Amino acid sequence: MQIQTIGIVGAGQMGNGIAHVMSLAGYDVLLNDISEDALTKALETVRGNMARQVGRGKVSEADMEAALGRMKVTTQLSDLGPSDLIIEAATEREEIKQAIFEQLLPHLKPETILTSNTSSISITRLASRTDRPEKFMGFHFMNPVPVMQLVELIRGIATDEETFAACKEVVDRLGKTAASAEDFPAFIVNRILMPMINEAVYTLYEGVGNVQSIDSSLRLGANHPMGPLELADFIGLDTCLAIMNVLHDGLADTKYRPCPLLTKYVEAGWLGRKTKRGFYDYRGEVPVPTR
């Protein structure tokens, strides 16, 4: 199947990043969100990020303007019906994702491929609630989308080879690398990354080190570009907790038990950079550790 039109559900950090790379790669993009403000902000973000790429010589001014011209927005989910490929990038809550797919189904072409950018939820289970489980798969971009080179492609139990090949072709056209993952909780990247972050929170919780010493140790001792607690704040502590819960529930192994301190931060609404407080306080000029 030849893909040219791409519908994206959700204009947040992931959705606008996906719209950015798809439009630059020459696809016609229709970005959907229930909020007009979110769509306006997404377009501003994409323009600003592309302008930075122009400034660094990575994208020409003409290519930027052409890409922005290929990007349209809508608050009506049904408008995405004629798309060749739909990528759902809404909140990481299964009931919300299922409701989105149920609303989309009556408006889709028979050949439309449905995908989810979920970082942890079962692709097989999401697909089973649609009329096309064989044309459904996981299309998991890393954050920030314009910068990160990996895309996890996750087959559900029913995903056919034609669907996988069509999505792989899209990844190739983006100039990114596809990693094929099986449909087990959290797939590859988060199956490995989130327990490490959770263990860093346990290290803080148990008083083995403070925020600064833990992050410095992993940056300098393991050559990580960002400490695990700083990275958790960047990802969002609510997202980290949600993925740990998926791992714990899906694999029934106590090694995936979310740290109580992570739960406490989320209950406090200290979710990281997006709320200005997490393991660091971002309200001043320089981030300050909160423990």
Side-chain angles (χ1 to χ4, degrees):
M1 174 181 180
Q2 199 64 37
I3 291 171
Q4 182 53 39
T5 56
I6 296 179
I8 300 166
V9 184
Q13 195 172 30
M14 296 306 293
N16 74 57
I18 296 167
H20 175 141
V21 297
M22 291 294 184
S23 61
L24 266 182
Y27 292 105
D28 298 318
V29 173
L30 184 57
L31 181 61
N32 161 264
D33 201 282
I34 54 173
S35 163
E36 288 272 13
D37 288 346
L39 291 169
T40 301
K41 187 178 174 186
L43 288 175
E44 289 171 358
T45 300
V46 171
R47 181 174 281 278
N49 288 340
M50 283 188 189
R52 272 193 287 279
Q53 289 178 308
V54 171
R56 294 186 191 123
K58 295 188 174 183
V59 174
S60 72
E61 187 87 38
D63 285 346
M64 179 181 96
E65 292 304 328
L68 291 169
R70 284 189 288 270
M71 198 183 306
K72 305 284 188 292
V73 297
T74 179
T75 55
Q76 298 301 312
L77 199 56
S78 58
D79 290 347
L80 272 57
S83 304
D84 300 325
L85 168 68
I86 291 177
I87 302 171
E88 171 274 314
T91 307
E92 191 70 353
R93 283 171 53 194
E94 188 165 346
E95 64 274 19
I96 290 175
K97 294 179 185 296
Q98 285 178 345
I100 287 166
F101 290 123
E102 283 168 13
Q103 287 177 54
L104 276 169
L105 291 180
H107 308 286
L108 300 179
K109 300 186 297 184
E111 64 272 22
T112 296
I113 293 172
L114 288 178
T115 68
S116 176
N117 184 57
T118 179
S119 52
S120 62
I121 296 167
S122 167
I123 297 303
T124 297
R125 200 162 60 236
L126 287 173
S128 72
R129 303 289 291 270
T130 74
D131 62 353
R132 61 195 69 208
E134 71 288 346
K135 291 190 173 298
F136 193 110
M137 67 182 299
F139 209 133
H140 182 217
F141 288 84
M142 306 295 129
N143 184 34
V145 179
V147 175
M148 301 296 276
Q149 288 301 302
L150 185 76
V151 181
E152 286 182 316
L153 292 179
I154 306 103
R155 290 178 174 91
I157 198 168
T159 307
D160 64 26
E161 194 54 42
E162 187 185 12
T163 299
F164 179 85
C167 290
K168 169 74 163 56
E169 194 176 306
V170 172
V171 177
D172 292 343
R173 184 161 153 185
L174 296 177
K176 296 187 183 294
T177 300
S180 177
E182 292 303 312
D183 185 26
F184 289 98
F187 319 129
I188 296 172
V189 173
N190 284 318
R191 172 76 176 263
I192 297 165
L193 177 64
M194 285 302 157
M196 185 199 77
I197 287 175
N198 194 52
E199 196 60 32
V201 183
Y202 266 115
T203 307
L204 179 65
Y205 176 61
E206 293 167 6
V208 180
N210 59 31
V211 169
Q212 200 155 19
S213 64
I214 292 166
D215 276 353
S216 295
S217 294
L218 268 292
R219 278 200 309 272
L220 304 177
N223 207 25
H224 289 191
M226 197 182 283
L229 301 174
E230 184 186 1
L231 179 57
D233 276 358
F234 179 75
I235 294 167
L237 304 194
D238 52 340
T239 301
C240 294
L241 179 59
I243 295 170
M244 286 310 301
N245 280 325
V246 166
L247 280 165
H248 192 232
D249 295 345
L251 298 170
D253 192 323
T254 55
K255 73 179 180 179
Y256 298 116
R257 183 171 71 97
C259 180
L261 184 61
L262 178 59
T263 303
K264 190 177 288 293
Y265 268 71
V266 173
E267 286 174 346
W270 292 19
L271 308 181
R273 284 182 177 270
K274 61 187 172 187
T275 59
K276 304 291 187 190
R277 271 194 295 191
F279 293 114
Y280 293 84
D281 188 325
Y282 300 92
R283 293 174 297 175
E285 285 185 27
V286 179
V288 178
T290 54
R291 281 178 94 85

